[in-house]
Amino acid sequence: MKALQDKARELLAGGAVQVVIGYGRGSAAAARAVFVREASAVDALVLDETCLQNLAVYLRKPEVRRLGKAALVAIPAVLRTILQLAAENQVSDGSLIALAVTPSGGEVVPLATLDAVEKHVAGLDFPRGAAEEAELRKFAEMGLQERRSFWEEQFSRCLKCYACRAACPLCYCERCTVECNQPQWIPVPAHDLGNLEWNVMRAMHLAGRCVDCGDCSRACPVGIPLQLLNRRLVDEVYERFAFRSGMAVHGENAMSTFKPDDPEDFIR
Amino acid sequence: MPEFRPRIVAFVCNWCTYAGADLTGTSRMKYSPQVSIIRFPCTGRIDFMLLLKAFANGADGIIVSGCHPNDCHYSSGNFHARRRWIVFRALLDFLGIDVRRIQFSWVSAAEGAKWARLVNETAERIHGLGPFTDYHRLRGMGVE
Amino acid sequence: MTLARIGVFVCHCGENISATVDCAKVAAEAAKLPGVAHSVDYKYMCSDPGQQLIQSAIREKGLTGVVVAACSPRMHEPTFRRACAEAGLNPFLCEMANIREHCSWVHEKGEATTAKALDIVRTLVAKVKKGKPLQPIQVPVTKTALVLGGGIAGIQASLDIANAGHRVILVEKEPSIGGHMAQLSETFPTLDCSQCILTPRMVEVAQHPNITLYSYSELEGLEGFIGNFKARIRRKARGLDETLCTGCGLCTQKCPTRRIPSEFDAGLGLRPAIYVPFPQAVPNKPVIDRDHCTYFLKGKCRLCEKVCPTQAIRFDQEDEIVEAEVGAVVLATGFDIKHGDFFPEYGYGRFQDVIDGLQFERLASASGPTLGEIRRPSDGKVPETVVFVACAGSRDPAKGIEYCSKICCMYTAKHAMLYKHKVHQGKPFVFYMDIRAGGKMYEEFVRRAMEEDGVQYVRGRVSRIYERGGKLVVKGADTLLGARPLEIEADLVVLATAAVANAGAEDLAQKLHVSYDAHAFFAEAHPKLRPVETNTAGIFLAGACQAPKDIPDSVSQASGAAAKVAALFSRSELVREPLVAVVDRQAPPVYSSCVGCFLCQGACPYQAIEKEEIRNRDGGLIKTVAKVNPGLCQGCGTCVALCRTKSIDIQGYSHEQVYAEVLALLNRGEGDA
């Protein structure tokens, strides 16, 4: 924590950045985002196991961009988000400094270029917990009807509040498909059909892009395990196309490319 | 209870499958009238949302068909479509939606007989699966 | 927006439709659909009275759209769209409901069939209601063609385009045009001398006022799209001022470095370091081979400079990049044959007297290293027995070449004949798999080799070739005699090695965004119906760069490509169907709903999606958004389905149209079955 505060102070005092986006103490147990603009205020920065939010979500917000060049406290998922955003032309080289950290503390690695982020990410592991693996396995073993019932129950609670969208750093579109009304792709009210369509669309639009940070699930006020949908597609894209998002600055997108020998056992 | 007649929408590309279905007609081969075709320039154009819309509006089954790999009129639209369907199927299956409701295929302009066979077999399978009430009942209140 | 007034015209097609579909009922039911102002049925809609029926309804009822329920749009869409246009309705507001191929012909007579016909009509009515009038796209055309490759295909294409009155830039990577054909001795099936028929064409190229020839040059890059390409051409340094050089040849005679294997003679002859590849070269100007020139290697010599009567030598010359605007490109980069250690079992590359077909051409050529006498490379002896091996590499999946090289059967017969004509007592054998002599006078030619010239054809493959006592032992089997093992002691072996794509073909294809097959031959847009086009509009194919071809086929294809170019250049503007993708544009401050993720760019098969920077008055960047180049877009719509913000739409198959079709198809109104 001290190392992070020192680094933030140095960057702000020296004028290398105008804002440090990091984690601070919120009113509840979870950490919340803070925007530190003065070297004297770096004490507000914290770093512990509660620091899970994907702060990259702020990179494309005009209000944040107006603050000037930013240093972004970046846990591993955030680093991958930065690369994915770069691959999608949403962040440019030199527009930010990533302060690579892990929630458990340790050293702070400042990464001033996208290439440096890419190199750093290449050296990281992105292990998936045993509990998460078990959960996906549980779904694979469920019957079709059981899965159907599970999700029907989950989606019946969806309020269409779009908190999942607001939390997702890759949902940066200025006009989402739900906002299109000619034609109206997704019905506006929160009902079973519209909720299903919204969630299918969200997952499809994140296929090959999602970095599995989990902020959608954490943001959902009614506790729908949205990350599971994304994670299922992260696996599908990896297993079928040997592709992982957010690993390269100039990475292709799994869904906008193809291989002539992609599997087609389901096509007659 | 009236006999169940499935409604099946076929999303096909203009250059191969649409022409293949034309050939089925020219050859006077017969198939189930429960399938109707919507024409697209290429399978690459087919938005997954349209498939959801078809189910929501009463389709019991869907056929998606285009040019065989390497025969795409636009050289690679079908390859992009194939990737999209791989992911889409995985997602639907994960959500407990029966992917047997959607038949993907490649039917070339020369495969009139294949088209007839594909339609009949799909119609038969959908008939066996019954009406897609699981999905249709989602059209609850307030749906246009 | 004006209210839709759609006309529905249901065709009986004689009895083709009405036999199983109740056309009157379909017309009556269609009349009840919202927005349908007029609905009739008629015996033959495509007949003149039928078309007039539609045209007068458009005029009298003020129709805003037309649905013709008849045959496949692949049959009569142009007919009805033209009729509508003549009556003043935008042709893209006319759609066809295919109730014949997709309905009446494939279902039995009955209510279900009539109900389906109505479903189809309802679907297309919904589509037309969401349709927009579209205008054809006009793209300006630069009437200059770039021809890449100066072999016979490139020469023919250049001359044809130039003779049609258009300008041509011909780029050839070697110091002279002529290609492989210039290396050939005689040509099948007439046995006329290759150079005698080729060199006048070469001279014609050099002298044609419409042709600019860049020899010893290569394409550096190509940007743009049909009608509007920008080419960058690298003119490699020849080491001399071409405007001063008279081609007198003194330099090439005096050059002291003279023992360099000649590329033109397929390595069988020698050339100096400053050289003209062959006497009839066009242009007849030498090139300094910097890899072998003593001055470039050791810093001393400059003998050529001293003897040059016009002081044309330029040792310090550098490559020059020329830029050119062209409207079309013809790819005629030709082929190569398989060399080297591809055939270890045949000792090719190891035994001097196992040679390939091109080397035999040079031996048989009057201008070749032996002045046309058949003498084997090792000791210059006239061979008494020569074995020709067809299909050396071709049709051999184990070697990775499944295809037939197409020219070998014929040139092998020719080689055997030429040998027999020159060495009367000689014994030629040909090992073959099958003889493929499809072509005018081809079969007769092969027969002549067998029957008149006594060439011994052995059906079977050669398994091994090895040396024994100054002879090459060819081991094979005669499969027509029960696979009897056969051993021939030969003095010379000629392998008809597989024809393959040029080494740089893949790179070039990528530069041009042209697709190519697994063997790096360039891919035609359609194997039957568009054999000279590529998938990139404005880039055409000629000759063996597409697949192995003989001279007549190469010339035909070159003329075909030239005709395509001439047709493209026949108008100053290119008119295309407007069924292309368009990216949303709006008034400030939004400008476009596109967020510039450019996923679409990766998916576009035609590189039609560009980045457009939207800037404010001070030049500050507001946003970067996608833009579709309508000259390049072919209208597949892959980008449309990929766009998360629905910012790209495709004209003629728009979101609104296809969405409306799905809903209309599935939502039958009250009362209809």
Side-chain angles (χ1 to χ4, degrees), chain C residues 119-347:
Chain C
D119 284 346
I120 299 172
V121 170
R122 198 172 53 243
T123 303
L124 274 301
V125 167
K127 183 180 186 187
V128 170
K129 278 164 73 178
K130 295 289 182 188
K132 294 207 165 63
L134 302 175
Q135 304 308 324
I137 294 167
Q138 298 189 335
V139 185
V141 174
T142 304
K143 296 185 184 183
T144 302
L146 175 69
V147 178
L148 297 176
I152 183 59
I155 289 172
Q156 184 68 39
S158 297
L159 288 173
D160 285 349
I161 298 168
N163 287 335
H166 306 295
R167 298 185 53 78
V168 175
I169 297 171
L170 173 59
V171 175
E172 166 58 51
K173 71 174 180 203
E174 299 296 332
S176 168
I177 58 170
H180 285 307
M181 187 174 168
Q183 290 176 284
L184 306 184
S185 51
E186 264 108 65
T187 54
F188 60 77
T190 46
L191 290 187
D192 43 2
C193 144
S194 185
Q195 291 207 339
C196 309
I197 56 176
L198 175 67
T199 50
R201 296 287 176 94
M202 292 164 59
V203 172
E204 204 182 325
V205 164
Q207 293 176 346
H208 204 296
N210 281 346
I211 301 179
T212 306
L213 171 61
Y214 291 133
S215 60
Y216 207 48
S217 301
E218 285 180 55
L219 184 77
E220 192 76 3
L222 186 80
E223 281 170 23
F225 54 95
I226 182 167
N228 301 271
F229 294 105
K230 268 200 181 67
R232 297 175 70 240
I233 300 155
R234 175 180 294 274
R235 303 199 64 192
K236 296 179 281 189
R238 277 186 119 92
L240 53 87
D241 183 335
E242 280 182 66
T243 56
L244 295 177
C245 173
T246 60
C248 70
L250 261 178
C251 53
T252 64
Q253 288 158 26
K254 299 290 183 195
C255 178
T257 311
R258 313 201 62 83
R259 302 199 55 81
I260 305 163
S262 155
E263 294 82 358
F264 183 77
D265 280 333
L268 294 181
L270 300 170
R271 64 159 171 85
I274 183 165
Y275 71 105
V276 174
F278 54 102
Q280 304 92 324
V282 170
N284 186 17
K285 317 251 164 160
V287 167
I288 299 178
D289 171 1
R290 296 188 178 195
D291 294 336
H292 291 98
C293 167
T294 314
Y295 174 70
F296 279 101
L297 294 176
K298 298 185 181 146
K300 282 193 191 130
C301 180
R302 302 178 79 124
L303 198 58
C304 49
E305 192 180 36
K306 285 176 202 118
V307 301
C308 179
T310 59
Q311 284 83 45
I313 303 293
R314 298 284 181 272
F315 287 109
D316 57 355
Q317 195 177 50
E318 284 177 11
D319 290 2
E320 183 194 351
I321 303 288
V322 186
E323 295 201 351
E325 293 192 356
V326 296
V329 180
V330 178
L331 273 171
T333 49
F335 72 108
D336 198 355
I337 55 168
K338 206 78 191 165
H339 298 288
D341 51 10
F342 195 63
F343 313 98
E345 65 275 33
Y346 294 165

Side-chain angles (χ1 to χ4, degrees), chain A residues 62-257:
Chain A
E63 301 85 347
V64 176
R65 286 195 163 183
R66 275 199 286 275
L67 298 178
K69 185 167 171 174
L72 186 70
V73 176
I75 58 174
V78 174
L79 292 172
R80 280 182 62 188
T81 309
I82 292 171
L83 290 177
Q84 186 61 29
L85 287 170
E88 298 180 13
N89 292 285
Q90 303 301 315
V91 298
S92 54
D93 216 356
S95 66
L96 72 116
I97 296 174
L99 301 173
V101 296
T102 54
S104 51
E107 61 168 340
V108 177
V109 186
L111 304 165
T113 65
L114 294 172
D115 277 343
V117 175
E118 184 178 309
K119 278 203 192 73
H120 189 84
V121 165
L124 295 179
D125 275 338
F126 294 90
R128 189 176 278 171
E132 293 159 330
E133 289 290 355
E135 192 166 26
L136 280 172
R137 227 179 4 260
K138 188 183 84 192
F139 270 84
E141 285 160 8
M142 277 185 194
L144 195 71
Q145 204 51 50
E146 209 180 335
R147 285 201 291 275
R148 182 84 208 95
S149 305
F150 174 85
W151 288 109
E152 211 163 301
E153 192 280 318
Q154 294 290 340
F155 292 156
S156 71
R157 288 180 287 117
C158 174
L159 306 166
K160 284 264 199 70
C161 68
Y162 304 132
C164 44
R165 184 180 75 177
C168 178
L170 292 169
C171 276
Y172 53 76
C173 296
E174 287 152 23
R175 180 180 76 181
C176 177
T177 304
V178 285
E179 278 129 23
C180 297
N181 57 7
Q182 281 183 323
Q184 182 81 45
W185 288 99
I186 312 261
V188 179
H191 54 58
D192 288 340
L193 178 66
N195 292 355
L196 174 69
E197 289 183 335
W198 157 250
N199 282 294
V200 168
M201 192 209 76
R202 198 189 68 86
M204 281 300 287
H205 284 183
L206 284 164
R209 303 172 60 236
C210 174
V211 298
D212 204 10
C213 73
D215 267 9
C216 44
S217 284
R218 283 189 287 273
C220 181
V222 295
I224 305 173
L226 293 168
Q227 188 181 10
L228 265 175
L229 297 176
N230 299 112
R231 189 171 280 159
R232 174 67 192 85
L233 296 192
V234 165
D235 286 359
E236 186 71 11
V237 163
Y238 185 70
E239 283 160 19
R240 300 287 201 133
F241 315 136
F243 180 89
R244 289 177 85 186
S245 58
M247 300 302 287
V249 188
H250 301 293
E252 297 187 297
N253 186 286
M255 302 314 292
S256 67
T257 182

